[in-house]
Amino acid sequence: LESARNLNDNAIDAMVSVLAEKLKERIKKEVDQLKLVDAMTKNSSENVGMKFQIPNTIKSAHGTIEDYYSVAIAPIGIPSPNLMGAMALEHCTGDACSVEFAWPNRDLRTNPKREWEMVVDRTFNPSEVEVGGRKIPECQPLLELEASRRARLQKAEVVAIVLYTGPMEVVYNDILRRLPANFFARPNKNPSLYPATIFALTSALRKLSRVSNLPPGTPLYRGVADGVDLGDLFFQEGTGGGFAEMSPMSVTESMDAALRYARG
């Protein structure tokens, strides 16, 4: 405060102008976040969201093989090196952490903060996870599994996997698929895109894929809803057909299971 004695009117005006601009930017970011949450909540409640099914209400959001091997930095931002701390902030701070969204797989509603508390802090009653037979595994035993040791998984990666196998899949998938598209035109303006969590999840899946023992040539199936637009890339000659799903894609060895999900 001693240095403030020497401030003149021009200096004070300049300081106020800078503070006002910073406040304006912060308010815009918060408003963008609220709009994003509202739109994603609406989108999640309207879509089926089945694990093996691509919704037929939207155009399939996919990329090329180059997208598959690239790191998902452009759409969501660069993650913090302190993954667990950053993941906690992503789920437990800001207005979005307490906004409920639908998880169609179990016909329930939840919010990011509650999911973090149940998965990481283990603060829940048994009745809270009995909807549809849902189970929330403990992270430490998973971290000690032989496959986890071989893949050299870290705690943050296991936490990301457990979160993704629950309701948070709806949020992460919508972010990676850039749904609804109009809110992802300026990704750096949307503050809560879960970069640390998605980075940990992607890292875990790639590590596990290197130590998996899936026999070569094993057919895998994924249900595709009738009428979904797969895009030209899927049928393009010279590429072998297919495309890269922009979010983690669930598949199954059972054709019956895929057909059941495709029918909704």
Side-chain angles (χ1 to χ4, degrees), residues 130-239:
E130 291 178 355
V131 180
R134 180 188 179 192
K135 295 181 180 179
I136 303 178
E138 294 186 43
C139 295
Q140 188 58 38
L142 294 179
L143 190 59
E144 296 171 358
L145 291 175
E146 177 62 24
S148 299
R149 293 180 182 275
R150 291 175 58 203
R152 298 183 180 180
L153 294 185
Q154 303 297 313
K155 180 179 180 180
E157 294 169 327
V158 173
V159 169
I161 289 176
V162 176
L163 284 166
Y164 183 75
T165 57
M168 289 303 297
E169 63 156 331
V170 174
V171 177
Y172 307 151
N173 283 347
D174 280 356
I175 289 172
L176 288 169
R177 291 171 179 166
R178 304 171 74 79
L179 301 173
N182 57 308
F183 286 103
F184 291 87
R186 299 175 299 149
N188 60 318
K189 297 295 184 180
N190 298 318
S192 294
L193 299 183
Y194 298 88
T197 305
I198 292 175
F199 178 87
L201 175 62
T202 303
S203 175
L205 293 176
R206 289 181 175 177
K207 286 182 178 180
L208 288 170
S209 70
R210 292 184 177 182
V211 300
S212 65
N213 295 316
L214 189 67
T218 301
L220 300 174
Y221 303 95
R222 176 176 177 84
V224 179
D226 183 37
V228 69
D229 182 3
L230 295 177
D232 296 335
L233 184 64
F234 188 81
F235 305 97
Q236 185 175 336
E237 294 184 5
T239 64

Side-chain angles (χ1 to χ4, degrees), residues 19-211:
L19 291 173
E21 187 62 29
K22 293 294 183 183
L23 180 60
K24 179 181 177 181
E25 291 178 2
R26 178 59 183 271
I27 292 175
K28 283 186 174 181
K29 288 178 67 176
E30 294 297 329
V31 171
D32 282 346
Q33 177 61 38
L34 290 173
K35 290 180 178 179
L36 175 62
V37 169
D38 289 343
M40 293 178 100
T41 302
K42 181 176 183 293
N43 183 71
S44 297
S45 63
E46 291 178 347
N47 287 311
V48 178
M50 293 299 184
K51 279 184 176 293
F52 302 103
Q53 183 180 28
I54 298 176
N56 63 356
T57 56
I58 56 174
K59 184 174 182 178
S60 176
H62 53 260
T64 64
I65 190 65
E66 287 77 16
D67 294 311
Y68 174 79
Y69 285 110
S70 67
V71 180
I73 288 179
I76 62 175
I78 300 175
S80 165
N82 178 9
L83 287 179
M84 280 299 294
M87 288 165 62
L89 290 175
E90 289 170 357
H91 292 81
C92 302
T93 61
D95 294 332
C97 75
S98 59
V99 175
E100 288 193 345
F101 61 91
W103 190 35
N105 285 353
R106 291 294 185 273
D107 192 26
L108 62 79
R109 299 188 67 83
T110 184
N111 63 63
K113 184 177 181 181
R114 190 74 192 111
E115 289 302 308
W116 179 268
E117 292 172 342
M118 289 194 288
V119 170
V120 180
D121 301 329
R122 307 296 295 177
T123 56
F124 58 84
N125 298 319
S127 60
E128 291 185 272
V129 295
E130 291 178 355
V131 180
R134 180 188 179 192
K135 295 181 180 179
I136 303 178
E138 294 186 43
C139 295
Q140 188 58 38
L142 294 179
L143 190 59
E144 296 171 358
L145 291 175
E146 177 62 24
S148 299
R149 293 180 182 275
R150 291 175 58 203
R152 298 183 180 180
L153 294 185
Q154 303 297 313
K155 180 179 180 180
E157 294 169 327
V158 173
V159 169
I161 289 176
V162 176
L163 284 166
Y164 183 75
T165 57
M168 289 303 297
E169 63 156 331
V170 174
V171 177
Y172 307 151
N173 283 347
D174 280 356
I175 289 172
L176 288 169
R177 291 171 179 166
R178 304 171 74 79
L179 301 173
N182 57 308
F183 286 103
F184 291 87
R186 299 175 299 149
N188 60 318
K189 297 295 184 180
N190 298 318
S192 294
L193 299 183
Y194 298 88
T197 305
I198 292 175
F199 178 87
L201 175 62
T202 303
S203 175
L205 293 176
R206 289 181 175 177
K207 286 182 178 180
L208 288 170
S209 70
R210 292 184 177 182
V211 300

